[in-house]
Amino acid sequence: MSEIPEKASGGVVWQSSPPGSIYDYIRVASFSIGPDGLVEQWSRRAVDLFGVTAEEARGKDPVEAFMPADQRERGHRRVREILDGKEWTGLVPFRIPGDDRPHGIAEMYVMPSETQTGERAALCIVVDVRALRRIETDLAASQAIFGQSPFGFLLFGTDLTVKRANRRFATVFGGSADDHRGRTVHDYLNLPEADRMTAALRSVLETGESVTDFEIVGAAPGSRDRRHWSINLYRVHSGSGRPIGVAGLGIDVTRRHNAAREAASARRNLALLNEAGARIGNSLDLEATARELLDVAVPGFCDLASVDLYQGLLTGDEAPPGRWGSSHDVGYGAGSAELRRVAFASAVSDTPRRTEVGHGAGSGCCGPEPIDVGAVHRYPFNSPCAGALRTGRLHTVPGADGELVQTTLVVPMVAHDTVVGLVQFSRTKGSESFGERDRALAVELAARAAVCIDNARLYRREHERALILQRSLLPPGDPEAAGLDIACRYLPGTAATEVGGDWFDVIELPGHRTALVIGDVMGRGLRAAVAMGELRTAVRTLAQLDLEPAEVLSHLDEIARGLGAPIGAQQSRGHKSRGPELSEVYLATCVYAVYDPVTRRCTFANAGHLPPVLVEPGEEALLLDVPPGMPLGVGGEPFEEVEVELPEGALLALYTDGLVESRDHPLDEGLSAFRRALTDPARPLEDVCDRVLTSLETGHGEDDIALLMARIQGLPTEAVGDWRLPREPRSVGRARELARTQLKAWDLEPLVDTVELLVSELVTNALRYGEGEIRLRLLRDRTLVCEVWDAGLVQPRRRRAKDTDEGGRGLQLVGLLSSSWGSRRTPRGKTVWFELALPDGEGTAEPTVEQLLSMF
């Protein structure tokens, strides 16, 4: 501790230096040299610096004692000059006596002096250069840390005033670093924050305990933005440990603070969404769902809220077509239709239930009068509410001065691209403003409630949607097939019994063959229609693979079992079945038949369906003996095939059980009545269909009815060219010749060049890659089909030939020049085919030069 100052005679205040002064750091030592050049006085600091006691140093020549041998001559010369009265400053190497190597370098200042007798002497001041260099390094490091820090740095003295500030601090608070000397925290912060900061500084200075992450709030000069700073304070000491001030390091953590606040808001919003998922939509009552929405939103999300629904929705009217965001009307009138206020909630005391959300009592957001709960009203066309209903987008409406509400979010309730109503969320003045996350949450809450509200409307429309879906999946009214005259009928069940899963299809296969399909998915409603659509799509896909009928049904059986797996999984977990529809909807019956007009033979496979009916000319209708098999989805049993030759003019009928089965009579009676209705097959096929439907009791409305009838008209002999070729190279030329001759006989000369080229490619491939005898067949009907048969099992594969390949472009050429092409398996090998449109039909455009060059 410093001594009390004493006033000297000259007015100078004498005061002893405290421990840890600068002299302790720089290690200043002194000694004196007498007129004889020998050491007279030796200070204690010289003892510490040179390691020599005063007794050992006095009376010695300093040059001889402390300087290296090679420096002594120069040293004696300097001593003589000094004793002659010259001053000298310089660096002097020194050594410890008894050690020949230099020990260090001292910076020496030598001043001439006089003794009492007037003789010349000298006083020497010595500083250890190493200590000076350490001080310089420490000062440079301190300056780098303090001055170049990217954070604000302050050094407070013991009086809590700023002794030093760095450039970063001055950049934020203005001026230069020196301008901040002598200031206090009250010059930067408001009174409450300044008092908190002062108390923290004083505590650190007195206790020595550091303070970390001390957060204060303020604003930079000239800015109104609130900033958050994290302050770290620690006490600074002198070399002897004496406290000399407090250092403060400030970091701007505004972004971190905002991120933490947003995270807390996000957690709150997630909690609200979880609550909304649990509480909204527990019933199909529209008003109850609206009240559930407001119970979640008030007061957890807002202070006031209301819900309006379209009056047409509440009365059961259907919404007109339109999507929000388009030029069409939206929802039930694009904001101009009538709405009903169905719910209101408030967390503000003494708020009238009829106060319009968004403004104070007595004024409305979109009109001068408030809206009562239960009132039917319209929003003005140019109002924010009507705009939200038209666009399907959220609108933000600020509150007026002097009113209760600060801000209102006007959110349309959108479900399945249809606006069903409007919800308004309001926060009163003094509450936190709505942010972007709040807007997103408002849209999500409104959307969830809208979905629940719209469920009732969607439930009413299920029957109609099922009908639309089912009819869209059925083939067109007049399907065409080679060698067949086809007629069909489909009658859906009544609205009272919903709809079923009946379907039929007519699929063209290669070689002018036709697949006839009819099926019935067990069950009713939209689930049955969806299952029917999936099975029909699967049938069409399998048919394009040209599989045998039994194989098609086997694959369908696996698909149907896969569709039913989720139901079985649910029941295995203990879910109770709500009726036969859940277990039967993925079971189906089906008949798949493939007809070849060249041979007039039809191959049947049956999966639990009613047998086909065949009526030959002049004969009675009979049920074909096709093994019924198990329904699709049961599994475990193979399907059998039956091949039947159908005479020219015969009538084939495929049907579903809704045509012949009802509660009023057994199935056998219905089948007998159906056969009797087919006693006059020579009539036009459309008339036969109408006769069947009018003769049988088709109005019972217990199930859908599907009827598919085909009259056999095989291809005439002159429309078929069939040849067998030996397995030898000259068969390629022979095939071209046969094709050319046949086309000329059919008056198809425009196709000769193309057919010759493609036939040559297919026969060449059969010779190169196939096996056994080669068969060439041309079929003329609505299109021209060419088939090349061989006994090889390897299917052709189209590939991209390299530029250097001499071959490999045959199938590319076939695909480019033909309307379609492909290959299929046969019982004794494979068939590769292509199809061309007839000259008077809609032919395929000639390939361009670029398409031809793309093969090379």
Side-chain angles (χ1 to χ4, degrees):
M1 181 169 294
S2 302
E3 296 179 358
I4 299 176
E6 296 180 358
K7 183 69 71 77
S9 59
V12 178
V13 177
W14 293 86
Q15 179 176 336
S16 61
S17 298
S21 67
I22 188 64
Y23 301 104
D24 293 330
Y25 286 104
I26 62 178
R27 302 181 66 183
V28 177
S30 65
F31 63 91
S32 63
I33 299 175
D36 54 0
L38 302 180
V39 175
E40 284 189 345
Q41 294 181 341
W42 191 257
S43 69
R44 292 183 179 179
R45 290 189 180 272
V47 174
D48 297 334
L49 178 61
F50 294 103
V52 178
T53 63
E55 290 78 9
E56 295 173 336
R58 280 195 295 267
K60 289 186 178 181
D61 186 343
V63 175
E64 295 293 334
F66 302 109
M67 295 188 68
D70 58 342
Q71 300 289 330
R72 290 173 183 172
E73 181 180 355
R74 184 180 178 185
H76 285 298
R77 186 170 60 252
R78 292 297 184 191
V79 170
R80 287 194 298 269
E81 292 176 355
I82 293 169
L83 292 177
D84 287 342
K86 292 183 179 180
E87 291 187 0
W88 180 81
T89 302
L91 298 178
V92 177
F94 67 89
R95 67 181 182 86
I96 302 299
D99 191 347
D100 294 334
R101 294 174 299 172
H103 182 71
I105 298 177
E107 184 171 301
M108 184 176 293
Y109 177 43
V110 183
M111 299 171 289
S113 63
E114 292 184 358
T115 64
Q116 291 180 350
T117 60
E119 295 178 296
R120 298 285 180 91
L123 177 63
C124 301
I125 306 298
V126 184
V127 178
D128 189 348
V129 174
R130 293 174 300 176
L132 290 177
R133 297 295 178 264
R134 284 196 298 269
I135 292 174
E136 290 176 355
T137 302
D138 292 344
L139 288 176
S142 175
Q143 179 60 30
I145 295 173
F146 192 85
Q148 301 174 20
S149 172
F151 310 114
F153 215 115
L154 286 176
L155 180 61
F156 294 92
T158 55
D159 58 354
L160 303 186
T161 62
V162 176
K163 301 301 181 183
R164 189 175 179 186
N166 68 346
R167 249 178 310 175
R168 176 58 184 167
F169 183 87
T171 301
V172 175
F173 287 93
S176 66
D178 292 337
D179 294 338
H180 295 275
R181 295 180 185 272
R183 295 184 180 180
T184 67
V185 293
H186 288 81
D187 296 318
Y188 306 106
L189 303 173
N190 57 40
L191 183 59
E193 292 294 286
D195 290 343
R196 289 180 60 238
M197 183 69 177
T198 301
L201 287 170
R202 184 172 290 108
S203 174
V204 172
L205 186 62
E206 293 174 355
T207 65
E209 295 181 0
S210 301
V211 173
T212 59
D213 202 17
F214 180 74
E215 188 168 315
I216 59 175
V217 180
S223 174
R224 299 181 62 184
D225 296 337
R226 287 168 57 87
R227 310 299 296 176
H228 294 258
W229 290 286
S230 175
I231 307 297
N232 297 314
L233 303 174
Y234 58 92
R235 192 168 67 181
V236 181
H237 304 86
S238 67
S240 61
R242 177 174 58 89
I244 61 174
V246 177
L249 178 67
I251 303 174
D252 191 334
V253 294
T254 305
R255 291 184 179 179
R256 187 176 71 185
H257 178 82
N258 293 340
R261 185 176 60 182
E262 290 182 2
S265 176
R267 288 192 295 270
R268 181 199 66 187
N269 292 351
L270 286 175
L272 277 174
L273 286 178
N274 289 335
E275 185 181 4
R279 297 179 60 181
I280 299 176
N282 293 321
S283 69
L284 291 177
D285 183 84
L286 303 182
E287 289 86 350
T289 301
R291 288 192 295 270
E292 291 165 356
L293 168 62
L294 299 192
D295 289 341
V296 172
V298 179
F301 177 68
C302 62
D303 301 316
L304 302 167
S306 67
V307 177
D308 296 317
L309 296 179
Y310 277 112
Q311 179 71 357
L313 176 69
L314 297 170
T315 57
D317 296 341
E318 289 296 335
R323 296 170 62 89
W324 55 266
S326 69
S327 60
H328 301 287
D329 283 347
V330 181
Y332 291 79
S336 60
E338 291 184 339
L339 297 102
R340 185 192 303 173
R341 174 64 52 84
V342 294
F344 174 83
S346 172
V348 181
S349 59
D350 300 329
T351 302
R353 291 186 57 82
R354 65 193 306 267
T355 299
E356 172 64 3
V357 177
H359 290 280
S363 66
C365 166
C366 302
E369 297 297 330
I371 301 172
D372 291 319
V373 175
V376 177
H377 63 96
R378 295 175 185 266
Y379 286 116
F381 184 82
N382 294 324
S383 64
C385 294
L389 292 170
R390 282 195 303 273
T391 62
R393 295 184 177 89
L394 177 146
H395 283 217
T396 302
V397 182
D401 293 338
E403 293 186 350
L404 174 67
V405 171
Q406 176 192 108
T407 311
T408 297
L409 299 182
V410 181
V411 189
M413 304 176 72
V414 183
H416 309 293
D417 293 341
T418 300
V419 179
V420 298
L422 190 74
V423 58
Q424 299 180 57
F425 302 107
S426 297
R427 287 182 180 174
T428 57
K429 292 181 179 178
S431 300
E432 185 179 359
S433 301
F434 288 113
E436 288 301 321
R437 291 182 181 273
D438 295 323
R439 293 180 177 86
L441 177 61
V443 173
E444 179 66 22
L445 289 174
R448 292 196 178 196
V451 169
C452 296
I453 289 173
D454 199 45
N455 279 341
R457 183 172 63 91
L458 295 177
Y459 181 79
R460 289 195 300 264
R461 295 176 57 185
E462 179 185 356
H463 174 238
E464 178 184 353
R465 290 180 181 272
L467 281 177
I468 295 173
L469 174 63
Q470 190 168 35
R471 290 172 182 174
S472 68
L473 293 174
L474 295 175
D478 298 316
E480 296 182 353
L484 292 176
D485 181 18
I486 296 178
C488 54
R489 294 290 187 273
Y490 177 78
L491 299 178
T494 64
T497 57
E498 299 184 345
V499 296
D502 292 11
W503 93 92
F504 62 90
D505 212 342
V506 179
I507 307 170
E508 294 187 55
L509 301 177
H512 288 318
R513 296 171 304 132
T514 303
L516 303 175
V517 189
I518 195 162
D520 184 1
V521 176
M522 299 180 186
R524 296 185 179 90
L526 186 58
R527 296 174 60 86
V530 170
M532 176 269 287
E534 294 181 355
L535 291 177
R536 176 182 179 271
T537 302
V539 169
R540 280 194 157 265
T541 303
L542 295 170
Q544 297 304 318
L545 299 177
D546 215 349
L547 302 177
E548 297 296 327
E551 292 183 85
V552 171
L553 293 185
S554 296
H555 287 295
L556 280 179
D557 179 59
E558 295 181 4
I559 293 172
R561 279 186 289 163
L563 295 176
I567 300 299
Q570 291 178 4
Q571 292 177 347
S572 66
R573 291 193 295 267
H575 290 266
K576 295 182 179 180
S577 174
R578 291 177 294 174
E581 292 185 5
L582 279 178
S583 59
E584 295 175 354
V585 70
Y586 293 123
L587 295 178
T589 63
C590 180
V591 170
Y592 186 86
V594 176
Y595 172 70
D596 188 343
V598 179
T599 61
R600 292 200 309 275
R601 300 187 69 82
C602 190
T603 304
F604 296 90
N606 191 350
H609 201 80
L610 294 174
V613 175
L614 178 65
V615 185
E616 297 184 8
E619 302 290 340
E620 293 183 356
L622 58 90
L623 299 176
L624 292 179
D625 187 13
V626 180
M630 299 298 292
L632 301 176
V634 175
E637 294 293 333
F639 298 98
E640 300 182 38
E641 292 181 357
V642 173
E643 188 175 66
V644 179
E645 184 173 353
L646 305 178
E648 185 75 17
L651 183 66
L652 178 66
L654 304 176
Y655 53 97
T656 57
D657 56 1
L659 182 66
V660 295
E661 187 177 22
S662 73
R663 298 177 182 177
D664 299 331
H665 55 75
L667 177 61
D668 290 342
E669 292 183 9
L671 289 174
S672 298
F674 179 40
R675 291 167 58 192
R676 290 193 298 270
L678 300 174
T679 54
D680 191 8
R683 299 176 62 183
L685 202 55
E686 294 291 335
D687 293 344
V688 175
C689 286
D690 293 338
R691 177 183 172 85
V692 169
L693 296 180
T694 55
S695 299
L696 301 181
E697 186 184 354
T698 59
H700 52 75
E702 295 176 3
D703 201 356
D704 291 358
I705 295 173
L707 176 62
L708 177 62
M709 304 185 71
R711 177 169 285 125
I712 306 303
Q713 298 174 349
L715 288 181
T717 305
E718 60 272 16
V720 179
D722 196 347
W723 306 276
R724 297 182 184 274
L725 303 172
R727 190 170 188 79
E728 54 187 31
R730 64 179 181 178
S731 293
V732 178
R734 176 60 177 162
R736 288 197 298 266
E737 180 183 354
L738 293 171
R740 180 172 59 253
T741 303
Q742 185 64 70
L743 291 179
K744 289 181 179 179
W746 286 340
D747 296 328
L748 297 178
E749 286 85 354
L751 299 180
V752 168
D753 292 338
T754 301
V755 172
E756 278 190 323
L757 176 60
L758 301 186
V759 165
S760 177
E761 291 291 342
L762 295 189
V763 174
T764 300
N765 283 346
L767 287 173
R768 182 176 298 174
Y769 306 109
E771 300 176 5
E773 186 181 42
I774 298 173
R775 181 181 176 189
L776 173 65
R777 189 166 79 166
L778 295 178
L779 306 176
R780 177 185 177 180
D781 192 67
R782 291 173 297 140
T783 61
L784 177 69
V785 174
C786 175
E787 299 174 328
V788 176
W789 308 49
D790 69 80
L793 298 177
V794 179
Q795 297 291 322
R797 181 174 60 88
R798 186 174 178 179
R799 66 183 180 88
R800 172 72 66 177
K802 299 179 181 178
D803 295 343
T804 57
D805 291 347
E806 296 182 0
R809 299 177 179 85
L811 293 180
Q812 284 186 263
L813 194 61
V814 173
L816 189 61
L817 297 178
S818 63
S819 301
S820 59
W821 75 280
S823 66
R824 68 177 186 273
R825 295 180 300 169
T826 64
R828 290 177 294 277
K830 69 175 179 296
T831 300
V832 184
W833 57 271
F834 66 85
E835 184 175 359
L836 293 174
L838 299 182
D840 56 349
E842 295 181 0
T844 305
E846 291 292 329
T848 63
V849 176
E850 289 76 9
Q851 289 175 319
L852 292 173
L853 290 177
S854 67
M855 298 186 299
F856 297 92

